[in-house]
Amino acid sequence: MCGIVGIVSSEPVNQQIYDSLLLLQHRGQDSTGIATSEDNQFHMVKAKGQVREAYRTRDMRQLLGNVGLGHVRYATHGSAGSEEEAQPFYVNAPYGIILVHNGNLTNTRELTAELYNVDRRHLNTHSDTELLLNVLANELQSGISGLSLDADQVFDAVGRLHERVEGSYAAIALIAGHGLLAFRDPFGIRPLVLGRRELPGGSGEEWIVASESLVLESGGYEVVRDVEPGEAVLISPDGWMYSRQCAAEPRLVPCAFEYIYLARPDSVMNGISVYDARLRLGNALAEQIIAEAPTGDIDVVMPIPDSARPSAMQVAQKLGIEYREGFFKNRYVGRTFIMPGQAVRKKTVRQKLNAMSTEFRGKNVLIVDDSIVRGTTSREIVEMARSAGAASVTFASAAPPVLYPHVYGINMPTRRELIAHGRSLDDVAEEIGADRLVYQTVEAMDRAILEGQDRVTELEKSCFTGEYIAGRVDEEYLAWVEATQES
Amino acid sequence: MCGIVGIVSSEPVNQQIYDSLLLLQHRGQDSTGIATSEDNQFHMVKAKGQVREAYRTRDMRQLLGNVGLGHVRYATHGSAGSEEEAQPFYVNAPYGIILVHNGNLTNTRELTAELYNVDRRHLNTHSDTELLLNVLANELQSGISGLSLDADQVFDAVGRLHERVEGSYAAIALIAGHGLLAFRDPFGIRPLVLGRRELPGGSGEEWIVASESLVLESGGYEVVRDVEPGEAVLISPDGWMYSRQCAAEPRLVPCAFEYIYLARPDSVMNGISVYDARLRLGNALAEQIIAEAPTGDIDVVMPIPDSARPSAMQVAQKLGIEYREGFFKNRYVGRTFIMPGQAVRKKTVRQKLNAMSTEFRGKNVLIVDDSIVRGTTSREIVEMARSAGAASVTFASAAPPVLYPHVYGINMPTRRELIAHGRSLDDVAEEIGADRLVYQTVEAMDRAILEGQDRVTELEKSCFTGEYIAGRVDEEYLAWVEATQES
Amino acid sequence: MCGIVGIVSSEPVNQQIYDSLLLLQHRGQDSTGIATSEDNQFHMVKAKGQVREAYRTRDMRQLLGNVGLGHVRYATHGSAGSEEEAQPFYVNAPYGIILVHNGNLTNTRELTAELYNVDRRHLNTHSDTELLLNVLANELQSGISGLSLDADQVFDAVGRLHERVEGSYAAIALIAGHGLLAFRDPFGIRPLVLGRRELPGGSGEEWIVASESLVLESGGYEVVRDVEPGEAVLISPDGWMYSRQCAAEPRLVPCAFEYIYLARPDSVMNGISVYDARLRLGNALAEQIIAEAPTGDIDVVMPIPDSARPSAMQVAQKLGIEYREGFFKNRYVGRTFIMPGQAVRKKTVRQKLNAMSTEFRGKNVLIVDDSIVRGTTSREIVEMARSAGAASVTFASAAPPVLYPHVYGINMPTRRELIAHGRSLDDVAEEIGADRLVYQTVEAMDRAILEGQDRVTELEKSCFTGEYIAGRVDEEYLAWVEATQES
Amino acid sequence: MCGIVGIVSSEPVNQQIYDSLLLLQHRGQDSTGIATSEDNQFHMVKAKGQVREAYRTRDMRQLLGNVGLGHVRYATHGSAGSEEEAQPFYVNAPYGIILVHNGNLTNTRELTAELYNVDRRHLNTHSDTELLLNVLANELQSGISGLSLDADQVFDAVGRLHERVEGSYAAIALIAGHGLLAFRDPFGIRPLVLGRRELPGGSGEEWIVASESLVLESGGYEVVRDVEPGEAVLISPDGWMYSRQCAAEPRLVPCAFEYIYLARPDSVMNGISVYDARLRLGNALAEQIIAEAPTGDIDVVMPIPDSARPSAMQVAQKLGIEYREGFFKNRYVGRTFIMPGQAVRKKTVRQKLNAMSTEFRGKNVLIVDDSIVRGTTSREIVEMARSAGAASVTFASAAPPVLYPHVYGINMPTRRELIAHGRSLDDVAEEIGADRLVYQTVEAMDRAILEGQDRVTELEKSCFTGEYIAGRVDEEYLAWVEATQES
């Protein structure tokens, strides 16, 4: 899970990229990077941590140029500390290309071997972004015939890339002297949206591509449209926009988890408002609760802030039960220092959430969360509610049971760590200590997210169903991924 | 506005102080400092910015010792950049004293002159904390008769300090070799709470004093009690606790603003739950709305997150109108870099809040905020609501009109910057662009906060009434303060 | 002027490269970089300033691997502040190559155009090292036929590089998975020496290439030989050494300035001991002094420390005049800070040298320096001698008059800044304020440096003669270089 | 061993103090600090390492004011890493005082107890400078009678300080609002010199006190005189200079080691030129060599650079043997990094010195060093000479045998580590591997340093004789010091 943004303007883009990354910060807080292009020279700064801490004035002063891109990264298993895997990545031939990427490639083993043996390209990290960049570079190189590079040659290269690469990818690249290229995998699993604004004072116009539409809204851009699955968009340094469908059989299957908890509620993705989807997930969950569990004794409905709030509000409304906010979220999360001779403290949910006893004392509470993955957080939440005086705790998940690994760009544990994997509903309820437990169904989730539009007809929901749409994801692959993660 | 914490333990306190400061981070984000005492040696680290960014592992490793204190600072007008004013402060005679302070002294001009001319003490900054520390040092020095220092001598010194110092102050000090001293001004304007816990494994016990009770709860401490107005508490390095009332006429008059928006809702201050107070402020505000404004056409009630949420929920419930969350708060706030040759961007509320059009389109909305100070934020919020499609906007403030400067430790603008100063209700409504505007009354606020207990009978509410309880705060003083702020 | 080192070992090389760079620090103090290769992964750290300040423990811990290289850089005109031009440079195709370089290319304009237009390689800086690396990369790429890369393919690529590149270059490169490549331009203008040692404890052997032989001696390496002009040496990761002459007509013409002042005296270059060469330059200079100037009244001979010391000692001995050290060199050089509202101080020679009046008072002194370039330092030295009480000052230069720019890797001013350019001997003497002035002759310099061996028969001495051996260096080129420098 | 400087000017002093510290850098490279006084506000920056690396532009910009002082520190045993012991030190009562100190107090145990028990002053470190400052503060405080502080009160306080403090100390202090105070212990063991200059452009005058006179010369100051033993000098912020003898029985006994190797040769201390003293030490050593050792076979005399150069030159001249520089000193010294899993390398003299074989091969060499302390360096030097081909090695020390600890401010090992302690001349020669060994005698050293003037009649030379002039330094004390050092 990452956030990406790219801008082509007629004025410097560094502050605008910085501001955009702040708005995408919820998509990744482990590292961040910005690159800009000034004439034919690239400038790049990468750093660990959040955007606010990462960039100093001297970094920003170095990031000159009217074309640029940025990245926030959620490090996957075991690589949080690796600065070398921070994005963007750069290759200097052909042309000089800088790329950022949101998603996850699944045929990394095959690509690594090909690039090394056939294309003789050096991969200095284990990052699949470096793979993606080198495939792009290689396809651009092999497509050069005459002297100049035109949009069609670039789109042809993206087309060949689609054939070689499997998995999910929304990517933005700078090609030295040729502008900004953005493209999305043929299933459109990860989001990417295109925007445009007139600069204040009539000083020109500016194009933007970003992971989420709220970046556009907040920056005063008009949302032009989502980049299509398989499509590539090329914006020249002087602001000409070209686009082409580069995939043979594109098919829009966006990731359900963006709607469930990943994206900001004020974003619209593939024509579906995230906030509205969460409201509808709440409505559907309410129906499920009515169907499955007696609600007569429930006094209050409570969300786990912040992502479950819209769903919880609808659950309360549908059930006609009072909505209350009993959990307070601590915004400031710190570190645990390793002191010589001192025991290391355990991080707990209590450092992130606090229960207001006024709201719990003596009440039968219905707690709504967006989803249940490992179950450890849910267990601590139930404990907190009981400590705060709850008479009984019903737990409801706005997402269906998570049963399989997510291989398309969300860092999710192996099957044996998933609490719902191989457990009955009652077993899970017992594990988390709840009196009752209600899950959304897969069908209800589908309906809730897709309702009211016809552009998206199916969702990437493999972690609920085990059906993987992109690339070869079979038992051998999952076993390999899990072995890697657990090592 | 600042947050303070002090701990006396039988094991190292650095991580616990760090964790506590994170929980107090909402009280100040401009700078932070930690000091510890290891036998007779002090260790101190101060840095700009938030707790998470401020301390490195090497800093923490240096902060050895079982006694310590910490501070988070909200810089007042014009001093945000001044690292030299970061707390804690240190003097080396008598004994070696390190002090942190939450509050604001009002007779700084007199104290400065006395310390310089009579006590020959050097003040290296304009910080009133340095003044407070030097008065304490001076009174401790002048009270030394025999060889040793006992608790009564310390309490006598705090008594003399109360006579010299005017304004608000909750303070914690380390006295080398003699433990931790905590005291609160004779009006108890700023909060301070005392706690205690058994260490895990029976390895001893630990005392804590902190600005807010949630620090105690979150750390597993038992809340012993609030430090009383005028009282001093001394905890020896080996864990003996002494306390004494040191003021001639103590009188509990806590700051109303702690309940309105400053404190975390999950804190209890002077026996009053902040969360409950905010719920009651909502109830009272609802009554005011019913009395003053026709509510028949209002479709939804919406809070400005996060502090107005409890009040808004009650307003909705009392009015029987649906409660919705239409504003989304962006958690990640960045900087505006000054680039040579580029115009500086204006910071706007839009970088902090976003309006979800689903909730606004075509609706008559009642927006509830905790208070209205300058009015600039309110104006932008109303604009955002209208841009998002609101049919009409009613604005309600859970606090009464702010008419006078706050001189007891909250950074508030001069009178001419206060939107309600010298304006009628209708004028203010027009200024912020609202169709209707409702304020809480002072009497209703008093009742709402004080209801259900009899320990606190009056509140510090000078910014609403112009009546200042502590020290000489007259027109000459206010004019001086305002002149200083505006220079 | 730069210093380079590369090592292939059977144990980690980071500390050894660091130690080697310290020994090459006199060749450049503006920036430094180290890169290592761990299996197929490169690690790289670059920083401004001297080696001692540049590397932190965490940098060194990252520089894993048994193969590596390092660089110290003397920034040329106008680029001191540019971190982006710090070496090493990296390209990821073919194979992944990292390169460091000592020297200066003269056909940069042609190479830049070719790489951009024909090879489609992106150059992100104005560094000629990036050019050199990309030419190497391109020639390696174009030479790949089958699957594997062997030594002959590498040597062929270096051969083609020699044909494309003009100027001076001693270079070391890491080729991912294929070891370390070192090569020297066909004239051997800049130095490069090859060494080898058994590791302590019989744990294997280690190869080293470095700019100067004292790095080898100090590290306990056996000096194998100088890398020949035009030759390339390839050392595989497991320690096999291959070498081949890659130039069509190699011809050893090393830079005279290495012997005059650049190299450390305890180095041996191309079979000539730098220290011995300086002694012989002193002998020859003494003869010149006898021939040109009456020495009967001279009381003492004094060197400008440190590089003129050996020559001065011989001058004293040959003339039979007492040798004294009247100048003391300050080793600690600082910065001049720009303070708002304060005038900037002028840097003077007095901050680097101090004259001991005991040695000057009333004496006729003969001051020996290694060379005279701009003349500003000489003028200040003569003034210092007079202020310290010298009765008369004779100034002697161990090098001939510097009349032309140095285009092969030593940063030297434009013609109009060279004090000897267009001035008679008497004019120069008057300019620097000396009573008498004696220069070495070009012929005597040649004899002195080359004496006692027959391996080197000619020296690169264009700055004395205006005859440039490598590449097209004509009036147009010099005018372009000077225009660039003065802008 | 430390270096100190203080300046009172009519313009900002930060850059001038920085430049002065660079010139004193040879006196200490472990940490450095600068403090300035701007009206009544102090600014202070302290950092580890050398001056050049320690101060950033933002530090310098903070150091405002026309009065200031600076320090470079040579950390004593075991405290190199302690940033908390870096100077200057500050106390805020009375007045606010900042102090720097060169020297070492010997009655630290008594002073610590007194300050704690009687004066109730907190000492936060084990630094004797903090002791000295607190004694000064205490005596200033106890001497205050009326309202104002005048020069006599300050001088009375220094007088009382002289009575309480034992050991060596040259100190400079800023007293807030009252200017700069400099004083020297009653034996004048450590140096301190007073200077003055007119500022360029007639913009006022500037006073300076510094450890060495070259700081004055290099900055264009007129040397007014040495501060006398026991004397105090007070310079008001507006440039008035007051001075008084504050000791009962002052007696000038400067440290012999300043002349032997500590000070820069271009300094004059107590009327004795350091350079001339070293020349005379060489003359005397030559006589000793003639008397003790057959010199007929010696081919060359060689110095260990840099401090032994003047003496060696005179030895050569007196003996009529050729003077050669066979050792080259490496100026760039680095660190040894601790790498996980790698063995730590041993630091050797070879990293600092290199022997030029040209000068050694087949020759009988006489090596002159300034002194022999532990003997480990001498042993490595003799080995290097033999490896470089020396036929025989005679070693001569310009100082007498070091037999006792130095307790007045030079970090010297315990008796058992001193190679000459308890060993005969032959034993020492054998230990260091020399064929012959010659030491200066104590009497000859005395004569050589004191010759040609009558102001200084005796030297502090306890490390040669065991006779300690200042304070109680007996067997109990030495045993305590040694126990502390070895722990």
Side-chain angles (χ1 to χ4, degrees), chain B residues 243-292:
Chain B
S243 69
R244 204 179 86 187
Q245 176 53 258
C246 303
E249 296 179 29
R251 173 181 153 206
L252 182 56
V253 194
C255 175
F257 255 105
E258 293 280 354
Y259 301 100
I260 293 167
Y261 85 90
L262 233 165
R264 266 184 52 161
D266 44 354
S267 282
V268 176
M269 282 183 173
N270 309 297
I272 301 170
S273 154
V274 173
Y275 181 71
D276 292 355
R278 288 183 193 167
L279 294 179
R280 291 191 301 264
L281 282 167
N283 290 336
L285 182 59
E287 284 164 28
Q288 191 71 16
I289 293 168
I290 293 166
E292 280 192 22

Side-chain angles (χ1 to χ4, degrees), chain A residues 151-259:
Chain A
D152 275 328
Q153 286 172 314
V154 173
F155 294 144
D156 288 348
V158 175
R160 286 191 297 274
L161 177 146
H162 285 327
E163 285 164 26
R164 286 182 71 175
V165 167
E166 294 178 355
S168 70
Y169 47 97
I172 307 176
L174 304 179
I175 304 175
H178 294 86
L180 185 146
L181 169 70
F183 56 93
R184 208 172 161 197
D185 68 67
F187 294 96
I189 296 175
R190 302 258 67 90
L192 198 61
V193 62
L194 175 71
R196 200 188 146 284
R197 68 170 181 180
E198 299 293 328
L199 287 174
S203 61
E205 69 166 9
E206 192 168 292
W207 288 94
I208 189 169
V209 279
S211 296
E212 298 198 22
S213 68
L214 86 293
V215 172
L216 280 57
E217 264 188 76
S218 176
Y221 297 86
E222 164 205 2
V223 175
V224 174
R225 59 179 172 83
D226 292 87
V227 175
E228 296 296 320
E231 186 189 34
V233 170
L234 182 70
I235 303 161
S236 73
D238 48 0
W240 291 96
M241 196 273 274
Y242 309 86
S243 68
R244 203 179 86 187
Q245 177 53 259
C246 305
E249 297 178 28
R251 169 181 157 209
L252 181 56
V253 194
C255 175
F257 255 106
E258 293 279 354
Y259 300 101

